[in-house]
Amino acid sequence: MKRIIVAIDGFSSCGKSTIAKQLAEYAHYTYVDTGAMYRAFALAVKRGLVKEPIESIPADLSITFLKTDHGQHVCLNGEDVEGLIRTLEIGNMASEISTIGLVRRFLVAQQQQMGQEKGIVMDGRDIGTVVFPEAELKLFLTASPEIRAQRRFLELKDKGEEPLFEEVLRDVNDRDYRDTHRQESPLRQAPDAIVIDNSELSKEEQMEKIINIFLQHIQ
Ligand code: DC
């Protein structure tokens, strides 16, 4: 059976990372959460490691992944920052800095490097269109904004934040708008992507569907 590249794109809070992680585990592939890379970059900006307006990137800025017992953690200059990047603030900053070509080129080059050996599941917004346009399997996940806001709302509450549903929904809509309307690599469905709307699917149903599609693609 061949080892392939699986590109998973879609709107924010569509459950991309859960699916990508589970598929990578099932296939014994490496999982790469590219959103975490944009978030770690946003944290670098917040910490003043990258100066604004962003016109250059320090040569020693490093964004890497570390395998831990609790899954893969993103590191900024060697520090595990996984616990600091999943907030609304960093999410919004990541969405803003991800519109900058220089930032995208910096992160895309690293992502392409990670896929050289294949056997990878990568999720993001531009994986099937820009990072790996030649990926053997491209999935595009989608769900209604209300359902995604509800999922995000529960996730934030679980983390001890006290979000307002209307605010989370507004945030989901704003992010969708920015992600699809930016000039640099806007979120688009690759023409050869398989679209999965998971609004009405349970996690198990979705996973079963995706594993079947994956198995057809590695023959
Ligand atoms: O998937 P996420 O919410 O963790 O991503 C955070 C932000 O990063 C999101 O608003 C869009 C951006 N992003 C991107 O532009 N390209 C990617 N490949 C991944 C994320």
Side-chain angles (χ1 to χ4, degrees), residues 53-216:
I54 303 173
E55 279 159 5
S56 66
I57 298 173
D60 59 356
L61 185 83
S62 91
I63 293 173
T64 50
F65 286 98
L66 177 73
K67 270 196 185 141
T68 76
D69 293 344
H70 308 285
Q72 218 173 51
H73 285 190
V74 70
C75 298
L76 174 60
N77 289 349
E79 176 193 344
D80 182 344
V81 293
E82 187 66 34
L84 303 175
I85 58 161
R86 311 273 169 201
T87 61
L88 271 181
E89 184 200 5
I90 292 289
N92 284 328
M93 281 184 76
S95 174
E96 271 162 37
I97 56 111
S98 70
T99 61
I100 303 169
L102 181 68
V103 175
R104 300 204 71 85
R105 286 191 292 279
F106 173 76
L107 295 176
V108 166
Q110 298 187 19
Q111 292 154 8
Q112 289 173 332
Q113 193 75 26
M114 293 173 189
Q116 272 186 345
E117 313 266 300
K118 303 225 173 189
I120 197 162
V121 181
M122 190 174 278
D123 76 3
R125 305 292 189 287
D126 58 343
I127 312 305
T129 50
V130 176
V131 183
F132 296 121
E134 76 294 355
E136 291 86 350
L137 172 57
K138 299 178 186 177
L139 299 172
F140 190 90
L141 299 193
T142 177
S144 74
E146 288 73 20
I147 287 199
R148 289 186 285 128
Q150 181 62 24
R151 292 176 187 157
R152 185 91 195 104
F153 174 79
L154 294 175
E155 258 172 45
L156 290 167
K157 275 192 98 161
D158 263 3
K159 280 193 202 111
E161 293 197 32
E162 288 179 16
L164 288 174
F165 179 76
E166 287 66 32
E167 218 169 274
V168 178
L169 179 60
R170 186 164 3 101
D171 189 72
V172 163
N173 282 320
D174 286 354
R175 238 197 275 182
D176 285 0
Y177 186 85
R178 274 203 299 269
D179 288 351
T180 49
H181 286 79
R182 66 179 176 225
Q183 221 166 1
E184 287 283 341
S185 318
L187 170 63
R188 277 191 292 115
Q189 194 187 309
D192 51 347
I194 299 171
V195 181
I196 296 177
D197 183 333
N198 63 27
S199 304
E200 308 283 330
L201 291 179
S202 70
K203 280 187 181 155
E204 293 73 25
E205 287 167 335
Q206 177 174 226
M207 200 54 213
E208 197 182 319
K209 192 170 174 157
I210 288 177
I211 286 181
N212 283 333
I213 296 172
F214 171 74
L215 291 174
Q216 285 162 19

